[in-house]
């Protein structure tokens, strides 16, 4: 049987006082000698059902197969145990959890600040940033900042937010309608495409651009070869005739 360091967890009637709710409760599965019930419902290493057997017999089968006896359903009557390589099982589960975390998409909220009387050039610049954020699959918090007497003209900010929402409606939608927050007015735009989809599109665009650059380089190289002086081409053919294996 594989000798492994046992994992610590508390069982009813054993170890520290189970009425103490401040202790750590392990989520590790019970394995091998830590399974203390008289009999178990045994499942083989390939998922085949063996049946209800005494626990000591199940442990003996695990030892003969150089595997572990792992309690996979402790609430069963009797508990269900499986013969497996517990170290390999834990490693594969850790790999799956790591892959799942890697594939998770984190929601990022960008912020763009505007003034209610922004000029057209600045507006186009700010809108360009909003477009870039939405294309990347990020939410955008639009903040209109009022100063002085502008606070008495909230309709200016509202119209500006409406205009921006209409200008980028192909890429995003109004997730949170404009509302006053002290001296500011805030609106949140959400992307029409999910973060994962946006990442795939950006990756595909980069690959396409790289392929175009490679094609341009290949065309430039072919053009340079085609325009080589005739003397160079003749010399190259002569060298190849003398030694066909020569690498020029």
């Amino acid at each position: 049987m594989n000798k492994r360091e046992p994992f610590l967890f508390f069982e009813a009637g054993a170890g520290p006082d189970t009425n103490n709710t401040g202790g750590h409760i392990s989520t590790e599965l019970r394995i091998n000698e830590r399974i203390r019930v008289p009999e178990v419902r045994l499942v083989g290493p390939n998922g085949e059902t063996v049946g209800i057997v005494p626990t000591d017999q199940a442990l003996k089968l695990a030892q003969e197969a150089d595997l572990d006896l792992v309690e996979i359903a402790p609430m069963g009557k009797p508990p269900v145990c499986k013969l497996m390589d517990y170290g390999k099982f834990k490693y594969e589960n850790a790999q799956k959890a790591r892959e799942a975390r890697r594939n998770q998409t984190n929601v990022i909220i960008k912020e763009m600040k505007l003034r209610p009387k922004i000029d057209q050039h600045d507006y186009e610049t700010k809108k360009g940033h909003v477009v870039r954020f939405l294309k990347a699959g990020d939410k955008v918090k639009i903040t209109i900042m009022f100063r002085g007497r502008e606070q008495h003209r909230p309709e200016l900010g509202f119209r500006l937010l409406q205009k921006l929402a209409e200008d980028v409606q192909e890429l995003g939608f109004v997730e949170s309608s404009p509302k006053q927050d002290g001296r500011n007015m805030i609106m949140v735009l959400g992307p029409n495409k999910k973060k994962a989809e946006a990442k795939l599109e950006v990756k595909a665009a980069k690959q396409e651009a790289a392929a175009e650059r490679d094609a341009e380089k290949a065309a430039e190289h072919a053009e340079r070869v085609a325009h080589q002086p005739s003397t160079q081409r003749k010399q190259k053919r002569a060298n190849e005739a003398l030694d066909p294996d020569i690498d020029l």
Side-chain angles (χ1 to χ4, degrees):
M1 183 180 300
N2 296 338
K3 298 298 182 181
R4 296 179 174 83
E5 187 69 19
F7 298 97
L8 177 64
F9 60 91
F10 300 153
E11 298 181 76
D17 183 6
T18 54
N19 291 325
N20 181 5
T21 58
H24 171 70
I25 300 177
S26 174
T27 57
E28 293 289 347
L29 299 174
R30 279 191 285 260
I31 67 171
N32 301 327
E33 287 80 6
R34 301 198 63 85
I35 302 172
R36 300 174 184 174
V37 293
E39 59 182 15
V40 297
R41 187 180 301 276
L42 187 62
V43 177
N46 297 318
E48 67 276 16
T49 300
V50 178
I52 298 175
V53 299
T55 303
D56 56 354
Q57 182 181 339
L59 287 168
K60 184 178 179 181
L61 291 173
Q63 185 175 9
E64 291 174 351
D66 194 25
L67 295 172
D68 298 297
L69 182 66
V70 182
E71 187 181 59
I72 59 175
M75 302 307 293
K77 295 184 183 297
V80 180
C81 295
K82 184 176 181 180
L83 299 176
M84 68 173 72
D85 184 337
Y86 189 55
K88 180 181 178 182
F89 171 77
K90 285 192 65 180
Y91 173 78
E92 291 176 348
N93 276 1
Q95 290 291 94
K96 290 177 182 178
R98 190 177 297 112
E99 186 66 22
R101 287 194 298 270
R102 187 181 297 116
N103 292 334
Q104 279 182 339
T105 55
N106 298 321
V107 177
I108 299 176
I109 300 181
K110 304 288 188 177
E111 184 174 14
M112 187 57 56
K113 296 182 179 180
L114 295 81
R115 295 293 309 281
K117 295 181 180 180
I118 187 171
D119 63 58
Q120 187 63 28
H121 179 269
D122 288 343
Y123 171 80
E124 292 297 331
T125 301
K126 300 278 188 178
K127 184 182 75 173
H129 292 311
V130 174
V131 166
R132 178 163 53 86
F133 295 148
L134 292 174
K135 281 185 176 180
D138 297 323
K139 295 183 180 182
V140 189
K141 175 184 176 183
I142 312 296
T143 302
I144 305 295
M145 302 179 296
F146 296 95
R147 292 181 183 176
R149 296 181 180 179
E150 292 175 348
Q151 297 179 58
H152 303 293
R153 300 287 305 279
E155 68 277 5
L156 296 177
F158 184 78
R159 285 201 294 265
L160 181 58
L161 291 175
Q162 277 189 318
K163 172 178 170 56
L164 181 58
E166 291 173 0
D167 288 347
V168 300
Q169 62 183 345
E170 292 184 0
L171 299 171
F173 62 96
V174 178
E175 186 173 286
S176 178
S177 300
K179 56 185 176 183
Q180 197 77 24
D181 182 16
R183 294 184 176 184
N184 300 328
M185 182 174 288
I186 296 172
M187 177 181 72
V188 177
L189 295 174
N192 288 338
K193 295 181 180 178
K194 295 181 179 179
K195 185 79 172 178
E197 295 176 355
K199 282 184 176 180
L200 289 175
E201 287 191 356
V202 171
K203 184 178 179 180
K206 288 182 178 179
Q207 291 176 341
E208 184 177 351
E212 289 179 356
R213 288 194 299 269
D214 292 341
E216 289 176 359
K217 288 180 180 178
E220 290 175 0
H221 177 71
E223 187 176 355
R224 284 198 301 270
V225 172
H227 288 81
Q228 280 184 342
S230 58
T231 55
Q232 288 186 358
R233 291 199 296 271
K234 289 178 181 179
Q235 183 63 43
K236 183 176 180 181
R237 285 196 295 269
N239 292 335
E240 289 175 348
L242 290 174
D243 187 357
D245 295 328
I246 190 170
D247 186 6
L248 299 176

